Amino acid sequence: MKIVVLAGGISTERDVSIVSGTMICKGLREKGHQAVLLDVYCGDERITEEDFANEERLFPKEYDVEAAAAYMRSFNEQIAQLKKTRKQFFGANVLRLCEAAEVVFMGLHGEDGEGGKVQAVFDLMGIRYTGSGALGSAVAMDKGLSRRLFAAQGVPTAKGMTVKRGEQRLTPSENGIGLPCVVKPCCGGSSVGVEIARTEEEYTHALDVAFGYEEEVVVEQYIAGREFSVGVVDGEAYPVIEIAPLEGFYDYTNKYKAGATIETCPASLDEAKTKEMQRYAEMAFRALKLECYARMDFMMDRDENLYCLEANTLPGMTPTSLLPQEARVLGMDFAQLCEHLIEVSVR
């Protein structure tokens, strides 16, 4: 297939997205697909009209994925300035190249990529892509809205609330959540801007940090215990994976620093608890109107109560990311998983 792997963008997860996109593109090329890597925001000005007149030039059989990734990274220092001077989100030749592809593999992470806006444009243009549609993507990106839908559909989640910039800031003793608590941007990802507050001073600082990223933040009860994740593909839960950081919590550093976290799949749980978590993952998937695939994050407290934290509609996609590790337990290697996600999405 002729495939565009779309990555990069302008969110706080741009670098992670480039890594995911690079690995996806390599995996698909290993399977014989004519996949190319493209930055959704910066595009590729090197593509000419002659290239668009010849699909073999747009989707060549021989292709240097690492060179394409390096080209994307060459824009990193310019992103902040480009955001100030540009009105249009899509970069040079992006929409034309995506139209020319048989399918777009969404390697985007974070807002303005994972949050439904790109998906909505593609829907209007008739461009096929992997992952959930515009509605499910937008709903899942909003952690405050996700929490309310979980509660409405019987998916257990931690007690919490949302706070908007400029609203009266109630203290932890006044807001009914208490300490310790977790403060995080409402629509962020990769744990960027997430803080655990154990004192009122830390709570005030955590709000300031989170509001540095967004206009609305989520404040949640802190759940002490074990952390897990469950992929859901085509509506069915994958094996449960346990995430155990050697220090602190599963923040940005522990997510992406080699050796910082012990990941065990299948998780060391009895069959009943495994099935319970998988059932809640599938319920959360349906509650948020997700399609194709996603990954649900859970906490389990010391009394073995489960709490669904959030959904990731475009989870990390490197061979060591959580969803690929779960797929490996089912006998599916990384390249096979990439192909399977395309098959499910196109179907």
Side-chain angles (χ1 to χ4, degrees):
M1 295 181 75
K2 294 178 175 62
I3 303 168
V4 167
V5 179
L6 203 59
I10 58 175
S11 81
T12 54
E13 299 175 81
R14 173 179 171 82
D15 289 340
V16 180
S17 173
I18 294 174
V19 174
S20 284
T22 301
M23 295 298 101
I24 292 164
C25 196
K26 287 181 177 180
L28 292 172
R29 285 207 153 256
E30 285 176 15
K31 288 293 186 179
H33 297 286
Q34 291 165 262
V36 296
L37 186 60
L38 183 65
D39 191 323
V40 66
Y41 187 70
C42 299
D44 192 339
E45 295 180 344
R46 302 170 300 179
I47 301 174
T48 66
E49 288 299 325
E50 288 77 14
D51 294 327
F52 280 110
N54 183 348
E55 283 196 353
E56 292 304 317
R57 292 173 63 170
L58 290 178
F59 303 96
K61 289 185 169 58
E62 299 296 325
Y63 183 75
D64 190 335
V65 180
E66 287 294 344
Y71 178 73
M72 292 174 69
R73 290 192 179 93
S74 71
F75 291 98
N76 284 1
E77 300 301 319
Q78 305 173 40
I79 297 297
Q81 184 59 35
L82 288 172
K83 288 167 67 174
K84 294 177 183 178
T85 57
R86 252 179 55 185
K87 293 182 178 180
Q88 181 171 315
F89 176 73
F90 292 100
N93 297 312
V94 169
L95 293 177
R96 288 186 69 184
L97 188 57
C98 289
E99 280 189 297
E102 293 174 77
V103 68
V104 175
F105 198 115
M106 301 289 271
L108 299 166
H109 302 316
E111 199 170 10
D112 290 331
E114 196 170 355
K117 296 177 183 177
V118 174
Q119 290 83 349
V121 171
F122 285 179
D123 286 341
L124 292 173
M125 296 183 67
I127 296 172
R128 298 196 301 183
Y129 57 89
T130 58
S132 290
L135 177 59
S137 297
V139 168
M141 193 53 141
D142 188 320
K143 297 179 180 64
L145 180 55
S146 296
R147 292 175 40 76
R148 294 194 286 275
L149 289 172
F150 288 160
Q153 296 298 315
V155 179
T157 190
K159 181 168 60 176
M161 60 182 288
T162 57
V163 183
K164 293 183 179 180
R165 187 191 301 277
E167 287 183 343
Q168 181 184 2
R169 292 189 182 186
L170 299 176
T171 66
S173 59
E174 293 171 333
N175 64 23
I177 297 171
L179 294 170
C181 64
V182 179
V183 181
K184 55 189 176 184
C186 197
C187 297
S190 284
S191 297
V192 175
V194 177
E195 300 274 335
I196 298 175
R198 293 179 170 81
T199 67
E200 293 207 2
E201 291 76 14
E202 289 180 354
Y203 177 67
T204 299
H205 172 73
L207 285 176
D208 291 338
V209 170
F211 280 128
Y213 291 97
E214 295 179 20
E215 295 294 308
E216 187 173 6
V217 305
V218 172
V219 180
E220 283 181 341
Q221 169 193 10
Y222 173 70
I223 306 297
R226 297 164 67 186
E227 186 165 358
F228 302 88
S229 193
V230 185
V232 178
V233 179
D234 207 13
E236 296 187 5
Y238 271 25
V240 178
I241 186 168
E242 181 168 6
I243 307 150
L246 297 178
E247 294 182 7
F249 69 102
Y250 197 47
D251 60 5
Y252 187 93
T253 299
N254 285 328
K255 277 181 167 72
Y256 302 114
K257 181 181 177 181
T261 301
I262 298 172
E263 296 158 352
T264 306
C265 190
S268 181
L269 294 167
D270 62 39
E271 184 178 358
K273 188 57 66 175
T274 296
K275 288 185 176 179
E276 180 185 9
M277 198 182 306
Q278 290 175 319
R279 178 169 61 87
Y280 283 140
E282 292 172 359
M283 288 172 61
F285 188 86
R286 294 191 296 271
L288 302 183
K289 293 189 176 296
L290 301 182
E291 303 164 278
C292 307
Y293 67 100
R295 203 193 73 227
M296 313 301 163
D297 295 336
F298 288 86
M299 289 296 299
M300 184 173 74
D301 67 18
R302 295 185 176 93
D303 295 323
E304 297 197 348
N305 297 306
L306 295 174
Y307 302 87
C308 187
L309 302 179
E310 61 182 75
N312 299 275
T313 56
L314 291 176
M317 282 293 292
T318 73
T320 57
S321 294
L322 301 181
L323 183 62
Q325 289 188 63
E326 295 176 48
R328 197 175 305 126
V329 172
L330 299 176
M332 200 180 310
D333 66 25
F334 181 76
Q336 289 172 324
L337 174 63
C338 291
E339 275 196 322
H340 182 56
L341 296 180
I342 289 176
E343 291 166 4
V344 169
S345 299
V346 169
R347 184 171 69 248

